[in-house]
Amino acid sequence: MIRKHVLPAVLALSVLAGCGGGEAAADDPNAKVTLTFTAYGGAGQQAMIDSYQKPYTAAHPNVTFVNTSPPDVSQVKAQVMSRSVKWDLVSVAPGVATQQCDKLFEPVDATGIDTSTLVEGTIGKCYIGNFINANPIAYRTEAFPDPAKAPKSVDDFFDLKKFPGRRGILSNIQNGILEFPLLADGVAPKDMYPLDVDRSLKKLDTIRDKTTFAPNVGALQQAVGAKQVDMFILPDSRLVPLMNDGTDITVVWDVTVAAMNGFAIPKGSPHKAAALAFAKTLCGPEQVAGISEALGTQPVNKAAKPALSANAKKVEAFGPVNTGEVLMQDINWYAENFDAASTKLTNWLVG
């Protein structure tokens, strides 16, 4: 567990004009290439187009991008197994990329990367991190208009009697669906790992009938905007666009689960060298600052100096607004247990 303003020790790593300090070697660095970039769509992917792709294309006119969404590991597996890989870069949880390293994802050649100002864990064996997503509990302010009677803790999220209303949770493991129930069930953040998946799902059962389990961030963001859920767990990168669109949201600063987000190259990508050269720029200070300014995410590059908007500051989990604490997901635990945990969660969701 870490304090709101302190970057976790499990995390430490900068880059000069991109964390690679230049383009990686390629068979022909001047050859024209189109990279297929797969992320979660919406405002988040548009921020990546603006902060990652446009500057890169300006500096490398031979490189263009096709954008698609959403990322899906099962799709990566299907492409790799059929030897018809269409995606060149995929947004992925570091634990997944690590567990499937050299199976579904290409190893990352980190030669030449300056790690001196990067958060620890930014560079993995098969991924490069681009930001840290915080996933705070929040609610539509009009659903609980009296601050004295509004939710204030993780426990309150699971208290249907005291705080009635529809909940919204992402079914993506990376967004805290397994950690929050355990926090509400009395597990201290410092004792979270190894994670007790069965106990977590048992606690989730207590709110199942009043919860919308969204398959992706766009779906839950839309549900919040449409007033279909009252209290929800949604990444900072989706809270900011909602606030920018006029949705009145209050963040609950108790314990917030945060996770590294990364990009990986599917095994067998026909543009592996060009994809890696581009990927090495994702954690550059200017790129990282641009993403944080647009989405309120935590930079992976400590040299980044984002000028946050008023709304981005409202969701800054590692900033002064957070009066609670942050629990960083354990990449190493997920690297060993992601498939097993995902299978249990999937079976529970469809059961």
Side-chain angles (χ1 to χ4, degrees):
M1 179 172 63
I2 58 174
R3 291 288 171 186
K4 44 147 168 96
H5 57 281
V6 180
L7 279 171
V10 298
L11 285 176
L13 300 164
S14 175
V15 297
L16 303 173
C19 34
E23 189 173 80
D27 292 336
D28 182 359
N30 297 312
K32 290 186 179 298
V33 61
T34 297
L35 299 177
T36 300
F37 184 95
T38 307
Y40 286 96
Q45 191 151 348
Q46 185 59 52
M48 295 178 195
I49 292 170
D50 295 339
S51 295
Y52 299 157
Q53 297 175 20
K54 289 181 179 179
Y56 194 81
T57 298
H60 305 82
N62 59 307
V63 180
T64 56
F65 295 88
V66 170
N67 282 272
T68 186
S69 66
D72 184 342
V73 176
S74 66
Q75 287 293 319
V76 174
K77 184 176 182 179
Q79 292 180 30
V80 172
M81 296 300 290
S82 65
R83 297 185 180 181
S84 59
V85 176
K86 306 298 183 184
W87 296 348
D88 297 301
L89 292 117
V90 182
S91 181
V92 66
V96 177
T98 303
Q99 188 176 57
Q100 298 297 331
C101 189
D102 212 19
K103 299 172 185 175
L104 298 183
F105 300 103
E106 295 282 358
V108 169
D109 179 0
T111 302
I113 293 181
D114 177 4
T115 62
S116 62
T117 61
L118 295 185
V119 169
E120 182 180 343
T122 299
I123 308 298
K125 291 182 179 180
C126 275
Y127 72 88
I128 292 179
N130 61 320
F131 55 69
I132 298 169
N133 252 145
N135 299 277
I137 291 172
Y139 59 87
R140 291 188 303 103
T141 308
E142 67 176 353
F144 305 98
D146 184 350
K149 299 179 181 179
K152 296 179 175 61
S153 69
V154 177
D155 288 350
D156 291 345
F157 188 87
F158 287 81
D159 191 337
L160 295 176
K161 183 176 181 180
K162 188 176 180 181
F163 300 98
R166 193 80 188 170
R167 270 60 171 167
I169 299 177
L170 288 163
S171 58
N172 188 338
I173 281 181
Q174 200 173 0
N175 299 107
I177 188 173
L178 296 178
E179 285 85 358
F180 278 110
L182 290 172
L183 290 169
D185 205 40
V187 177
K190 66 181 179 63
D191 300 324
M192 185 60 59
Y193 303 98
L195 197 151
D196 188 335
V197 178
D198 293 330
R199 181 177 174 182
S200 176
L201 296 178
K202 185 176 180 180
K203 184 65 175 179
L204 270 180
D205 268 326
T206 65
I207 62 170
R208 182 171 191 156
D209 292 344
K210 296 295 184 180
T211 300
T212 295
F213 293 96
N216 56 65
V217 288
L220 185 51
Q221 179 182 342
Q222 190 172 42
V224 174
K227 301 182 181 181
Q228 294 170 349
V229 294
D230 302 305
M231 201 185 320
F232 41 89
I233 300 169
L234 192 61
D236 43 17
S237 56
R238 294 298 173 137
L239 291 174
V240 172
L242 280 166
M243 292 176 174
N244 290 344
D245 288 340
T247 303
D248 192 356
I249 291 171
T250 300
V251 177
V252 176
W253 293 117
D254 182 16
V255 180
T256 297
V257 178
M260 177 77 71
N261 187 76
F263 274 86
I265 301 169
K267 186 75 172 176
S269 163
H271 311 118
K272 179 176 71 173
L276 179 59
F278 168 69
K280 287 184 176 182
T281 70
L282 298 183
C283 48
E286 292 184 2
Q287 292 89 337
V288 166
I291 291 295
S292 293
E293 289 172 359
L295 305 175
T297 55
Q298 176 68 20
V300 294
N301 191 322
K302 292 178 283 187
K305 305 296 181 184
L308 298 181
S309 68
N311 283 335
K313 289 179 180 179
K314 291 178 183 178
V315 302
E316 192 182 10
F318 293 86
V321 68
N322 186 358
T323 55
E325 298 167 293
V326 177
L327 167 65
M328 282 298 305
Q329 286 190 334
D330 188 326
I331 293 175
N332 292 328
W333 186 87
Y334 276 108
E336 295 181 3
N337 299 280
F338 192 92
D339 282 353
S342 294
T343 297
K344 283 190 174 183
L345 175 60
T346 298
N347 290 339
W348 182 87
L349 287 168
V350 301

